[in-house]
Amino acid sequence: MAERSPTQGAGVTAAELDRYRPYLVRYARLQLRDQSSAEDVVQETLLVAIENGDRFSGQSSVRTWLTGILKHKIIDVFRRGARELPLAAAGRGEDATEEQGLEALFHADGRWRAMPGDWGDPDRAFENQEFWRVFEACTQAMSVKSARAFVMREVMGLTTDEICKELDISATNCWVLLHRARVSLRACLETKWFSKAR
Amino acid sequence: MMIPSCKRVSELLSQAQDRPLTLKEKFGLYLHLALCAGCRRVQRQFEFMREAMRRYVEGDIDGDKARR
């Protein structure tokens, strides 16, 4: 009789695991900002899942289980990268550019220089494939540091404390990065989508 | 009490997604939002971006799914 693989034993086949690949790659690409790195880390994730399929208890969904493995893989990549180039030293130039971009939005007294645009019913954009291409481009346009903090918060669901620990920054610095990321994404979406859609 | 500036309000709108605001911060924020249409737009836009990010990651990014 053919030996059952661990994944079959747990009721999750390798073919079923592979169905989650597009979702996992999208998740990893947001963090790593590179298609081939994302595919590599997803491949490692699926291999771990296949090897440890017998540990999958079924208490969570397969996707939640895979996402948990992927999070650890992504954090491993960050830690390796941080040893080579600490985050504080990464992207100093684009950091200053992003800060200048933020300052340029406001008068010296803190009022908006230009009234933020009216996006109408923005939820309609969800139905437009082209919007998602613009959205992805805008997430890639953030500085490395801001994007990393933003995706850890919004995609990986880490708390501010966890982000501070992973990136070795203070809470105040973390809030600054998250604010910059949101302002940058808002400005990009307004320029590249909503001002054109009106 | 000083009403916070638009710049400070955009910071508070962002931080409200990451930590509990103090009573003083909430009061200043709500007072400003009551008076400033631009910042009310930004508040809605930040919420929209959070939902967009969730849908993007979930793969809920085509018309059929979006309409469901």
PDB file of all heavy atoms in Angstrom, chain A residues 23 26 63 103 110 116-117 127 129 136 150 153-154 175 179 182 186, chain B residues 6-7 10 14 17-19 41 45 50 53 56-59 61-62 67:
ATOM      1  N   TYR A  23      -2.448  33.791  -3.067  1.00  0.00           N
ATOM      2  CA  TYR A  23      -2.689  34.631  -1.879  1.00  0.00           C
ATOM      3  C   TYR A  23      -1.385  34.843  -1.104  1.00  0.00           C
ATOM      4  O   TYR A  23      -1.047  35.960  -0.713  1.00  0.00           O
ATOM      5  CB  TYR A  23      -3.746  33.977  -0.985  1.00  0.00           C
ATOM      6  CG  TYR A  23      -3.688  34.400   0.465  1.00  0.00           C
ATOM      7  CD1 TYR A  23      -4.155  35.649   0.862  1.00  0.00           C
ATOM      8  CD2 TYR A  23      -3.147  33.556   1.433  1.00  0.00           C
ATOM      9  CE1 TYR A  23      -4.085  36.048   2.189  1.00  0.00           C
ATOM     10  CE2 TYR A  23      -3.073  33.940   2.757  1.00  0.00           C
ATOM     11  CZ  TYR A  23      -3.542  35.183   3.133  1.00  0.00           C
ATOM     12  OH  TYR A  23      -3.465  35.574   4.443  1.00  0.00           O
ATOM     13  N   ARG A  26       1.011  37.202  -2.904  1.00  0.00           N
ATOM     14  CA  ARG A  26       0.556  38.599  -2.804  1.00  0.00           C
ATOM     15  C   ARG A  26       0.909  39.149  -1.421  1.00  0.00           C
ATOM     16  O   ARG A  26       1.390  40.270  -1.278  1.00  0.00           O
ATOM     17  CB  ARG A  26      -0.950  38.642  -3.034  1.00  0.00           C
ATOM     18  CG  ARG A  26      -1.470  39.968  -3.508  1.00  0.00           C
ATOM     19  CD  ARG A  26      -2.875  39.899  -4.063  1.00  0.00           C
ATOM     20  NE  ARG A  26      -3.729  39.022  -3.321  1.00  0.00           N
ATOM     21  CZ  ARG A  26      -4.322  37.947  -3.827  1.00  0.00           C
ATOM     22  NH1 ARG A  26      -4.141  37.618  -5.068  1.00  0.00           N
ATOM     23  NH2 ARG A  26      -5.097  37.188  -3.080  1.00  0.00           N
ATOM     24  N   ARG A  63      -5.566  28.330   5.581  1.00  0.00           N
ATOM     25  CA  ARG A  63      -4.961  29.604   5.182  1.00  0.00           C
ATOM     26  C   ARG A  63      -4.338  30.329   6.375  1.00  0.00           C
ATOM     27  O   ARG A  63      -3.250  30.891   6.275  1.00  0.00           O
ATOM     28  CB  ARG A  63      -6.002  30.499   4.510  1.00  0.00           C
ATOM     29  CG  ARG A  63      -5.336  31.692   3.861  1.00  0.00           C
ATOM     30  CD  ARG A  63      -6.202  32.324   2.850  1.00  0.00           C
ATOM     31  NE  ARG A  63      -7.047  33.324   3.446  1.00  0.00           N
ATOM     32  CZ  ARG A  63      -7.594  34.305   2.745  1.00  0.00           C
ATOM     33  NH1 ARG A  63      -7.393  34.385   1.461  1.00  0.00           N
ATOM     34  NH2 ARG A  63      -8.354  35.187   3.326  1.00  0.00           N
ATOM     35  N   GLU A 103       5.747  67.446   4.554  1.00  0.00           N
ATOM     36  CA  GLU A 103       5.774  68.858   4.958  1.00  0.00           C
ATOM     37  C   GLU A 103       5.142  69.742   3.882  1.00  0.00           C
ATOM     38  O   GLU A 103       4.496  70.743   4.190  1.00  0.00           O
ATOM     39  CB  GLU A 103       7.218  69.310   5.217  1.00  0.00           C
ATOM     40  CG  GLU A 103       7.863  68.677   6.446  1.00  0.00           C
ATOM     41  CD  GLU A 103       7.155  69.035   7.742  1.00  0.00           C
ATOM     42  OE1 GLU A 103       6.603  70.141   7.833  1.00  0.00           O
ATOM     43  OE2 GLU A 103       7.138  68.186   8.656  1.00  0.00           O
ATOM     44  N   GLY A 110       0.200  74.568   9.791  1.00  0.00           N
ATOM     45  CA  GLY A 110      -0.410  73.240   9.898  1.00  0.00           C
ATOM     46  C   GLY A 110      -1.694  73.063   9.109  1.00  0.00           C
ATOM     47  O   GLY A 110      -2.289  71.993   9.145  1.00  0.00           O
ATOM     48  N   PRO A 116      -7.963  68.517   0.725  1.00  0.00           N
ATOM     49  CA  PRO A 116      -7.992  67.111   0.294  1.00  0.00           C
ATOM     50  C   PRO A 116      -9.180  66.861  -0.632  1.00  0.00           C
ATOM     51  O   PRO A 116     -10.268  67.392  -0.406  1.00  0.00           O
ATOM     52  CB  PRO A 116      -8.151  66.346   1.614  1.00  0.00           C
ATOM     53  CG  PRO A 116      -7.559  67.255   2.638  1.00  0.00           C
ATOM     54  CD  PRO A 116      -7.911  68.641   2.191  1.00  0.00           C
ATOM     55  N   GLY A 117      -8.950  66.078  -1.678  1.00  0.00           N
ATOM     56  CA  GLY A 117      -9.975  65.866  -2.699  1.00  0.00           C
ATOM     57  C   GLY A 117     -11.176  65.084  -2.185  1.00  0.00           C
ATOM     58  O   GLY A 117     -11.094  64.373  -1.187  1.00  0.00           O
ATOM     59  N   GLU A 127     -14.447  47.605  -7.506  1.00  0.00           N
ATOM     60  CA  GLU A 127     -14.942  46.751  -8.592  1.00  0.00           C
ATOM     61  C   GLU A 127     -14.130  46.935  -9.873  1.00  0.00           C
ATOM     62  O   GLU A 127     -14.454  46.336 -10.894  1.00  0.00           O
ATOM     63  CB  GLU A 127     -16.423  47.068  -8.856  1.00  0.00           C
ATOM     64  CG  GLU A 127     -17.289  46.769  -7.647  1.00  0.00           C
ATOM     65  CD  GLU A 127     -18.742  47.159  -7.855  1.00  0.00           C
ATOM     66  OE1 GLU A 127     -19.159  47.265  -9.022  1.00  0.00           O
ATOM     67  OE2 GLU A 127     -19.442  47.351  -6.860  1.00  0.00           O
ATOM     68  N   GLN A 129     -10.678  46.590 -11.875  1.00  0.00           N
ATOM     69  CA  GLN A 129      -9.365  45.922 -11.876  1.00  0.00           C
ATOM     70  C   GLN A 129      -8.223  46.927 -11.975  1.00  0.00           C
ATOM     71  O   GLN A 129      -7.171  46.746 -11.367  1.00  0.00           O
ATOM     72  CB  GLN A 129      -9.275  44.944 -13.061  1.00  0.00           C
ATOM     73  CG  GLN A 129     -10.063  43.669 -12.869  1.00  0.00           C
ATOM     74  CD  GLN A 129      -9.422  42.729 -11.849  1.00  0.00           C
ATOM     75  OE1 GLN A 129      -8.298  42.937 -11.436  1.00  0.00           O
ATOM     76  NE2 GLN A 129     -10.154  41.716 -11.430  1.00  0.00           N
ATOM     77  N   GLU A 136      -1.640  48.788  -5.983  1.00  0.00           N
ATOM     78  CA  GLU A 136      -0.377  48.067  -5.748  1.00  0.00           C
ATOM     79  C   GLU A 136       0.818  48.971  -6.048  1.00  0.00           C
ATOM     80  O   GLU A 136       1.792  49.001  -5.301  1.00  0.00           O
ATOM     81  CB  GLU A 136      -0.299  46.799  -6.598  1.00  0.00           C
ATOM     82  CG  GLU A 136       0.977  46.025  -6.320  1.00  0.00           C
ATOM     83  CD  GLU A 136       0.962  44.598  -6.853  1.00  0.00           C
ATOM     84  OE1 GLU A 136       0.075  44.251  -7.635  1.00  0.00           O
ATOM     85  OE2 GLU A 136       1.856  43.835  -6.472  1.00  0.00           O
ATOM     86  N   PHE A 150       4.127  49.829   7.817  1.00  0.00           N
ATOM     87  CA  PHE A 150       2.711  49.863   7.418  1.00  0.00           C
ATOM     88  C   PHE A 150       2.175  48.459   7.149  1.00  0.00           C
ATOM     89  O   PHE A 150       1.090  48.097   7.607  1.00  0.00           O
ATOM     90  CB  PHE A 150       2.574  50.728   6.162  1.00  0.00           C
ATOM     91  CG  PHE A 150       1.168  50.871   5.656  1.00  0.00           C
ATOM     92  CD1 PHE A 150       0.220  51.568   6.384  1.00  0.00           C
ATOM     93  CD2 PHE A 150       0.789  50.330   4.443  1.00  0.00           C
ATOM     94  CE1 PHE A 150      -1.084  51.711   5.918  1.00  0.00           C
ATOM     95  CE2 PHE A 150      -0.508  50.469   3.969  1.00  0.00           C
ATOM     96  CZ  PHE A 150      -1.444  51.163   4.712  1.00  0.00           C
ATOM     97  N   ARG A 153       1.779  46.396  10.201  1.00  0.00           N
ATOM     98  CA  ARG A 153       0.596  46.800  10.965  1.00  0.00           C
ATOM     99  C   ARG A 153      -0.695  46.357  10.268  1.00  0.00           C
ATOM    100  O   ARG A 153      -1.559  45.734  10.874  1.00  0.00           O
ATOM    101  CB  ARG A 153       0.597  48.333  11.122  1.00  0.00           C
ATOM    102  CG  ARG A 153      -0.584  48.890  11.880  1.00  0.00           C
ATOM    103  CD  ARG A 153      -0.450  48.692  13.372  1.00  0.00           C
ATOM    104  NE  ARG A 153      -1.685  49.016  14.048  1.00  0.00           N
ATOM    105  CZ  ARG A 153      -2.514  48.109  14.559  1.00  0.00           C
ATOM    106  NH1 ARG A 153      -2.227  46.833  14.505  1.00  0.00           N
ATOM    107  NH2 ARG A 153      -3.626  48.479  15.153  1.00  0.00           N
ATOM    108  N   GLU A 154      -0.811  46.682   8.987  1.00  0.00           N
ATOM    109  CA  GLU A 154      -2.089  46.503   8.292  1.00  0.00           C
ATOM    110  C   GLU A 154      -2.277  45.101   7.720  1.00  0.00           C
ATOM    111  O   GLU A 154      -3.397  44.657   7.555  1.00  0.00           O
ATOM    112  CB  GLU A 154      -2.218  47.527   7.150  1.00  0.00           C
ATOM    113  CG  GLU A 154      -2.227  48.969   7.606  1.00  0.00           C
ATOM    114  CD  GLU A 154      -3.492  49.356   8.368  1.00  0.00           C
ATOM    115  OE1 GLU A 154      -4.409  48.525   8.473  1.00  0.00           O
ATOM    116  OE2 GLU A 154      -3.551  50.486   8.863  1.00  0.00           O
ATOM    117  N   TRP A 175       5.021  55.419  15.008  1.00  0.00           N
ATOM    118  CA  TRP A 175       3.815  56.179  14.645  1.00  0.00           C
ATOM    119  C   TRP A 175       4.113  57.166  13.521  1.00  0.00           C
ATOM    120  O   TRP A 175       3.269  57.407  12.661  1.00  0.00           O
ATOM    121  CB  TRP A 175       3.258  56.919  15.867  1.00  0.00           C
ATOM    122  CG  TRP A 175       2.721  55.983  16.909  1.00  0.00           C
ATOM    123  CD1 TRP A 175       2.111  54.772  16.686  1.00  0.00           C
ATOM    124  CD2 TRP A 175       2.766  56.139  18.325  1.00  0.00           C
ATOM    125  NE1 TRP A 175       1.781  54.181  17.876  1.00  0.00           N
ATOM    126  CE2 TRP A 175       2.163  54.992  18.898  1.00  0.00           C
ATOM    127  CE3 TRP A 175       3.252  57.134  19.164  1.00  0.00           C
ATOM    128  CZ2 TRP A 175       2.029  54.824  20.277  1.00  0.00           C
ATOM    129  CZ3 TRP A 175       3.121  56.969  20.543  1.00  0.00           C
ATOM    130  CH2 TRP A 175       2.516  55.825  21.087  1.00  0.00           C
ATOM    131  N   HIS A 179       2.253  57.065   9.964  1.00  0.00           N
ATOM    132  CA  HIS A 179       1.573  58.270   9.475  1.00  0.00           C
ATOM    133  C   HIS A 179       2.070  58.631   8.081  1.00  0.00           C
ATOM    134  O   HIS A 179       1.284  58.897   7.171  1.00  0.00           O
ATOM    135  CB  HIS A 179       1.813  59.431  10.452  1.00  0.00           C
ATOM    136  CG  HIS A 179       1.209  60.722   9.995  1.00  0.00           C
ATOM    137  ND1 HIS A 179       1.937  61.875   9.848  1.00  0.00           N
ATOM    138  CD2 HIS A 179      -0.059  61.033   9.622  1.00  0.00           C
ATOM    139  CE1 HIS A 179       1.142  62.843   9.417  1.00  0.00           C
ATOM    140  NE2 HIS A 179      -0.066  62.364   9.275  1.00  0.00           N
ATOM    141  N   ARG A 182       0.616  56.278   5.480  1.00  0.00           N
ATOM    142  CA  ARG A 182      -0.807  56.520   5.152  1.00  0.00           C
ATOM    143  C   ARG A 182      -0.971  57.793   4.334  1.00  0.00           C
ATOM    144  O   ARG A 182      -1.762  57.829   3.385  1.00  0.00           O
ATOM    145  CB  ARG A 182      -1.632  56.583   6.445  1.00  0.00           C
ATOM    146  CG  ARG A 182      -1.740  55.222   7.119  1.00  0.00           C
ATOM    147  CD  ARG A 182      -2.527  55.256   8.411  1.00  0.00           C
ATOM    148  NE  ARG A 182      -2.605  53.919   8.984  1.00  0.00           N
ATOM    149  CZ  ARG A 182      -2.151  53.589  10.195  1.00  0.00           C
ATOM    150  NH1 ARG A 182      -1.617  54.495  10.983  1.00  0.00           N
ATOM    151  NH2 ARG A 182      -2.242  52.339  10.623  1.00  0.00           N
ATOM    152  N   ARG A 186      -2.365  57.857   0.587  1.00  0.00           N
ATOM    153  CA  ARG A 186      -3.538  58.701   0.292  1.00  0.00           C
ATOM    154  C   ARG A 186      -3.243  59.654  -0.862  1.00  0.00           C
ATOM    155  O   ARG A 186      -4.038  59.788  -1.799  1.00  0.00           O
ATOM    156  CB  ARG A 186      -3.923  59.509   1.539  1.00  0.00           C
ATOM    157  CG  ARG A 186      -5.306  60.137   1.485  1.00  0.00           C
ATOM    158  CD  ARG A 186      -5.432  61.352   2.393  1.00  0.00           C
ATOM    159  NE  ARG A 186      -4.755  62.490   1.815  1.00  0.00           N
ATOM    160  CZ  ARG A 186      -5.280  63.259   0.865  1.00  0.00           C
ATOM    161  NH1 ARG A 186      -6.482  63.036   0.395  1.00  0.00           N
ATOM    162  NH2 ARG A 186      -4.592  64.259   0.361  1.00  0.00           N
TER     163      ARG A 186
ATOM    164  N   CYS B   6      -4.577  70.950  11.113  1.00  0.00           N
ATOM    165  CA  CYS B   6      -4.876  69.862  10.159  1.00  0.00           C
ATOM    166  C   CYS B   6      -3.743  68.832  10.156  1.00  0.00           C
ATOM    167  O   CYS B   6      -3.987  67.626  10.087  1.00  0.00           O
ATOM    168  CB  CYS B   6      -5.059  70.419   8.747  1.00  0.00           C
ATOM    169  SG  CYS B   6      -6.473  71.518   8.573  1.00  0.00           S
ATOM    170  N   LYS B   7      -2.505  69.320  10.232  1.00  0.00           N
ATOM    171  CA  LYS B   7      -1.366  68.396  10.212  1.00  0.00           C
ATOM    172  C   LYS B   7      -1.404  67.479  11.435  1.00  0.00           C
ATOM    173  O   LYS B   7      -1.228  66.265  11.321  1.00  0.00           O
ATOM    174  CB  LYS B   7      -0.053  69.182  10.192  1.00  0.00           C
ATOM    175  CG  LYS B   7       1.156  68.287  10.058  1.00  0.00           C
ATOM    176  CD  LYS B   7       2.442  69.073  10.027  1.00  0.00           C
ATOM    177  CE  LYS B   7       3.622  68.124   9.903  1.00  0.00           C
ATOM    178  NZ  LYS B   7       4.891  68.816  10.081  1.00  0.00           N
ATOM    179  N   SER B  10      -4.174  64.947  11.087  1.00  0.00           N
ATOM    180  CA  SER B  10      -3.855  63.803  10.216  1.00  0.00           C
ATOM    181  C   SER B  10      -2.984  62.797  10.980  1.00  0.00           C
ATOM    182  O   SER B  10      -3.127  61.587  10.808  1.00  0.00           O
ATOM    183  CB  SER B  10      -3.203  64.253   8.903  1.00  0.00           C
ATOM    184  OG  SER B  10      -1.819  64.406   9.018  1.00  0.00           O
ATOM    185  N   SER B  14      -4.207  58.915  11.984  1.00  0.00           N
ATOM    186  CA  SER B  14      -3.352  57.756  11.728  1.00  0.00           C
ATOM    187  C   SER B  14      -3.136  56.975  13.022  1.00  0.00           C
ATOM    188  O   SER B  14      -3.325  55.754  13.066  1.00  0.00           O
ATOM    189  CB  SER B  14      -2.012  58.226  11.149  1.00  0.00           C
ATOM    190  OG  SER B  14      -1.111  57.144  11.040  1.00  0.00           O
ATOM    191  N   GLN B  17      -5.555  54.475  14.549  1.00  0.00           N
ATOM    192  CA  GLN B  17      -5.614  53.101  14.025  1.00  0.00           C
ATOM    193  C   GLN B  17      -4.579  52.201  14.694  1.00  0.00           C
ATOM    194  O   GLN B  17      -4.566  50.995  14.454  1.00  0.00           O
ATOM    195  CB  GLN B  17      -5.390  53.111  12.509  1.00  0.00           C
ATOM    196  CG  GLN B  17      -6.465  53.898  11.764  1.00  0.00           C
ATOM    197  CD  GLN B  17      -6.439  53.683  10.257  1.00  0.00           C
ATOM    198  OE1 GLN B  17      -5.567  53.022   9.714  1.00  0.00           O
ATOM    199  NE2 GLN B  17      -7.410  54.252   9.573  1.00  0.00           N
ATOM    200  N   ASP B  18      -3.702  52.809  15.518  1.00  0.00           N
ATOM    201  CA  ASP B  18      -2.593  52.031  16.086  1.00  0.00           C
ATOM    202  C   ASP B  18      -2.558  52.009  17.605  1.00  0.00           C
ATOM    203  O   ASP B  18      -1.882  51.177  18.193  1.00  0.00           O
ATOM    204  CB  ASP B  18      -1.251  52.599  15.590  1.00  0.00           C
ATOM    205  CG  ASP B  18      -1.212  52.701  14.079  1.00  0.00           C
ATOM    206  OD1 ASP B  18      -1.634  51.743  13.429  1.00  0.00           O
ATOM    207  OD2 ASP B  18      -0.779  53.745  13.560  1.00  0.00           O
ATOM    208  N   ARG B  19      -3.237  52.954  18.236  1.00  0.00           N
ATOM    209  CA  ARG B  19      -3.193  53.015  19.708  1.00  0.00           C
ATOM    210  C   ARG B  19      -4.432  53.761  20.192  1.00  0.00           C
ATOM    211  O   ARG B  19      -5.035  54.525  19.424  1.00  0.00           O
ATOM    212  CB  ARG B  19      -1.939  53.762  20.182  1.00  0.00           C
ATOM    213  CG  ARG B  19      -1.941  55.245  19.828  1.00  0.00           C
ATOM    214  CD  ARG B  19      -0.801  55.996  20.491  1.00  0.00           C
ATOM    215  NE  ARG B  19      -0.736  57.388  20.074  1.00  0.00           N
ATOM    216  CZ  ARG B  19      -1.354  58.380  20.705  1.00  0.00           C
ATOM    217  NH1 ARG B  19      -2.098  58.142  21.764  1.00  0.00           N
ATOM    218  NH2 ARG B  19      -1.246  59.631  20.257  1.00  0.00           N
ATOM    219  N   ARG B  41     -12.757  64.382   5.213  1.00  0.00           N
ATOM    220  CA  ARG B  41     -12.470  63.576   4.015  1.00  0.00           C
ATOM    221  C   ARG B  41     -11.294  62.635   4.278  1.00  0.00           C
ATOM    222  O   ARG B  41     -11.344  61.457   3.932  1.00  0.00           O
ATOM    223  CB  ARG B  41     -12.122  64.490   2.837  1.00  0.00           C
ATOM    224  CG  ARG B  41     -13.312  65.162   2.217  1.00  0.00           C
ATOM    225  CD  ARG B  41     -12.898  66.056   1.070  1.00  0.00           C
ATOM    226  NE  ARG B  41     -14.061  66.701   0.486  1.00  0.00           N
ATOM    227  CZ  ARG B  41     -14.003  67.647  -0.446  1.00  0.00           C
ATOM    228  NH1 ARG B  41     -12.829  68.057  -0.889  1.00  0.00           N
ATOM    229  NH2 ARG B  41     -15.104  68.173  -0.935  1.00  0.00           N
ATOM    230  N   GLN B  45     -10.982  58.650   4.073  1.00  0.00           N
ATOM    231  CA  GLN B  45     -10.013  58.073   3.128  1.00  0.00           C
ATOM    232  C   GLN B  45      -9.068  57.096   3.833  1.00  0.00           C
ATOM    233  O   GLN B  45      -8.725  56.052   3.274  1.00  0.00           O
ATOM    234  CB  GLN B  45      -9.248  59.206   2.432  1.00  0.00           C
ATOM    235  CG  GLN B  45     -10.146  59.966   1.457  1.00  0.00           C
ATOM    236  CD  GLN B  45      -9.647  61.355   1.100  1.00  0.00           C
ATOM    237  OE1 GLN B  45      -8.593  61.788   1.562  1.00  0.00           O
ATOM    238  NE2 GLN B  45     -10.408  62.069   0.286  1.00  0.00           N
ATOM    239  N   ARG B  50      -7.652  51.333   4.642  1.00  0.00           N
ATOM    240  CA  ARG B  50      -7.523  50.135   5.494  1.00  0.00           C
ATOM    241  C   ARG B  50      -8.351  48.986   4.907  1.00  0.00           C
ATOM    242  O   ARG B  50      -7.896  47.848   4.843  1.00  0.00           O
ATOM    243  CB  ARG B  50      -7.980  50.480   6.910  1.00  0.00           C
ATOM    244  CG  ARG B  50      -8.152  49.278   7.804  1.00  0.00           C
ATOM    245  CD  ARG B  50      -8.253  49.666   9.248  1.00  0.00           C
ATOM    246  NE  ARG B  50      -6.931  49.597   9.849  1.00  0.00           N
ATOM    247  CZ  ARG B  50      -6.706  49.596  11.157  1.00  0.00           C
ATOM    248  NH1 ARG B  50      -7.688  49.708  11.988  1.00  0.00           N
ATOM    249  NH2 ARG B  50      -5.482  49.485  11.625  1.00  0.00           N
ATOM    250  N   MET B  53      -6.696  47.703   1.719  1.00  0.00           N
ATOM    251  CA  MET B  53      -5.547  46.839   2.013  1.00  0.00           C
ATOM    252  C   MET B  53      -6.025  45.444   2.404  1.00  0.00           C
ATOM    253  O   MET B  53      -5.471  44.436   1.968  1.00  0.00           O
ATOM    254  CB  MET B  53      -4.723  47.468   3.142  1.00  0.00           C
ATOM    255  CG  MET B  53      -3.466  46.722   3.485  1.00  0.00           C
ATOM    256  SD  MET B  53      -2.318  46.579   2.103  1.00  0.00           S
ATOM    257  CE  MET B  53      -1.347  48.029   2.288  1.00  0.00           C
ATOM    258  N   TYR B  56      -7.189  43.690  -0.696  1.00  0.00           N
ATOM    259  CA  TYR B  56      -6.062  43.370  -1.577  1.00  0.00           C
ATOM    260  C   TYR B  56      -5.383  42.081  -1.110  1.00  0.00           C
ATOM    261  O   TYR B  56      -5.116  41.176  -1.901  1.00  0.00           O
ATOM    262  CB  TYR B  56      -5.062  44.527  -1.589  1.00  0.00           C
ATOM    263  CG  TYR B  56      -3.841  44.237  -2.417  1.00  0.00           C
ATOM    264  CD1 TYR B  56      -3.866  44.382  -3.799  1.00  0.00           C
ATOM    265  CD2 TYR B  56      -2.667  43.781  -1.825  1.00  0.00           C
ATOM    266  CE1 TYR B  56      -2.756  44.089  -4.569  1.00  0.00           C
ATOM    267  CE2 TYR B  56      -1.554  43.486  -2.585  1.00  0.00           C
ATOM    268  CZ  TYR B  56      -1.605  43.645  -3.953  1.00  0.00           C
ATOM    269  OH  TYR B  56      -0.503  43.340  -4.708  1.00  0.00           O
ATOM    270  N   VAL B  57      -5.123  42.002   0.179  1.00  0.00           N
ATOM    271  CA  VAL B  57      -4.437  40.824   0.716  1.00  0.00           C
ATOM    272  C   VAL B  57      -5.321  39.587   0.621  1.00  0.00           C
ATOM    273  O   VAL B  57      -4.859  38.500   0.293  1.00  0.00           O
ATOM    274  CB  VAL B  57      -4.007  41.065   2.177  1.00  0.00           C
ATOM    275  CG1 VAL B  57      -3.428  39.808   2.786  1.00  0.00           C
ATOM    276  CG2 VAL B  57      -2.991  42.177   2.232  1.00  0.00           C
ATOM    277  N   GLU B  58      -6.612  39.774   0.890  1.00  0.00           N
ATOM    278  CA  GLU B  58      -7.541  38.640   0.837  1.00  0.00           C
ATOM    279  C   GLU B  58      -7.754  38.157  -0.591  1.00  0.00           C
ATOM    280  O   GLU B  58      -8.313  37.092  -0.808  1.00  0.00           O
ATOM    281  CB  GLU B  58      -8.900  39.046   1.423  1.00  0.00           C
ATOM    282  CG  GLU B  58      -8.878  39.351   2.910  1.00  0.00           C
ATOM    283  CD  GLU B  58      -8.620  38.125   3.753  1.00  0.00           C
ATOM    284  OE1 GLU B  58      -9.179  37.072   3.432  1.00  0.00           O
ATOM    285  OE2 GLU B  58      -7.833  38.217   4.707  1.00  0.00           O
ATOM    286  N   GLY B  59      -7.349  38.979  -1.565  1.00  0.00           N
ATOM    287  CA  GLY B  59      -7.583  38.597  -2.954  1.00  0.00           C
ATOM    288  C   GLY B  59      -8.986  38.936  -3.405  1.00  0.00           C
ATOM    289  O   GLY B  59      -9.441  38.492  -4.456  1.00  0.00           O
ATOM    290  N   ILE B  61     -10.427  41.149  -5.004  1.00  0.00           N
ATOM    291  CA  ILE B  61     -10.125  42.327  -5.819  1.00  0.00           C
ATOM    292  C   ILE B  61     -10.681  42.221  -7.223  1.00  0.00           C
ATOM    293  O   ILE B  61     -10.132  42.774  -8.152  1.00  0.00           O
ATOM    294  CB  ILE B  61      -8.602  42.584  -5.892  1.00  0.00           C
ATOM    295  CG1 ILE B  61      -7.881  41.366  -6.464  1.00  0.00           C
ATOM    296  CG2 ILE B  61      -8.050  42.929  -4.536  1.00  0.00           C
ATOM    297  CD1 ILE B  61      -6.392  41.582  -6.660  1.00  0.00           C
ATOM    298  N   ASP B  62     -11.774  41.489  -7.376  1.00  0.00           N
ATOM    299  CA  ASP B  62     -12.400  41.567  -8.689  1.00  0.00           C
ATOM    300  C   ASP B  62     -13.868  41.895  -8.526  1.00  0.00           C
ATOM    301  O   ASP B  62     -14.425  41.798  -7.444  1.00  0.00           O
ATOM    302  CB  ASP B  62     -12.198  40.286  -9.499  1.00  0.00           C
ATOM    303  CG  ASP B  62     -12.843  39.086  -8.843  1.00  0.00           C
ATOM    304  OD1 ASP B  62     -14.049  39.143  -8.563  1.00  0.00           O
ATOM    305  OD2 ASP B  62     -12.133  38.110  -8.603  1.00  0.00           O
ATOM    306  N   ARG B  67     -18.767  42.719  -5.381  1.00  0.00           N
ATOM    307  CA  ARG B  67     -20.207  42.970  -5.338  1.00  0.00           C
ATOM    308  C   ARG B  67     -20.921  42.038  -4.382  1.00  0.00           C
ATOM    309  O   ARG B  67     -22.038  42.271  -4.005  1.00  0.00           O
ATOM    310  CB  ARG B  67     -20.802  42.815  -6.738  1.00  0.00           C
ATOM    311  CG  ARG B  67     -20.694  44.077  -7.578  1.00  0.00           C
ATOM    312  CD  ARG B  67     -21.460  43.909  -8.864  1.00  0.00           C
ATOM    313  NE  ARG B  67     -20.756  43.058  -9.783  1.00  0.00           N
ATOM    314  CZ  ARG B  67     -19.815  43.494 -10.619  1.00  0.00           C
ATOM    315  NH1 ARG B  67     -19.454  44.748 -10.622  1.00  0.00           N
ATOM    316  NH2 ARG B  67     -19.218  42.670 -11.448  1.00  0.00           N
TER     317      ARG B  67
END
